[in-house]
Amino acid sequence: GESNGVEDRQGRTLRDGCVAGQVFVVQCGYSEGQPFCDGSHERLNTGMTPIEVEVTYPKKVAWCGCKKTKKPPYCDGVTHNRL
């Protein structure tokens, strides 16, 4: 299907409607629920922790999928174009 957002290499849309509340954005890269943390960093003992984000109102968010952004946990729109 046609995407209306930022996609990762597997074609998964990373720009997603986000409801208000607390979310944890994965940093280790092992979560099966990318871009959100599923606890894989603890099971695999990566030494990494997710970034906690408080979303105060519903909005569209472009989460980083390449993990190289200069604005974690958000896509900077530049870095992944240089990978």
Side-chain angles (χ1 to χ4, degrees), residues 10-75:
Q10 290 76 34
R12 295 176 296 200
T13 300
L14 299 181
R15 179 181 303 268
D16 201 358
C18 191
V19 297
Q22 183 181 46
V23 295
F24 293 88
V25 181
V26 67
Q27 292 300 292
C28 70
Y30 294 106
S31 174
E32 290 188 26
Q34 296 269 350
F36 304 108
C37 177
D38 68 0
S40 292
H41 66 281
E42 291 178 351
R43 286 191 303 279
L44 299 172
N45 198 25
T46 67
M48 301 179 84
T49 57
I51 295 176
E52 182 178 351
V53 178
E54 183 71 28
V55 179
T56 56
Y57 57 91
K59 60 183 173 179
K60 291 227 178 223
V61 177
W63 303 113
C64 175
C66 72
K67 310 300 180 229
K68 307 274 186 210
T69 183
K70 295 191 183 344
K71 298 179 182 180
Y74 307 103
C75 177

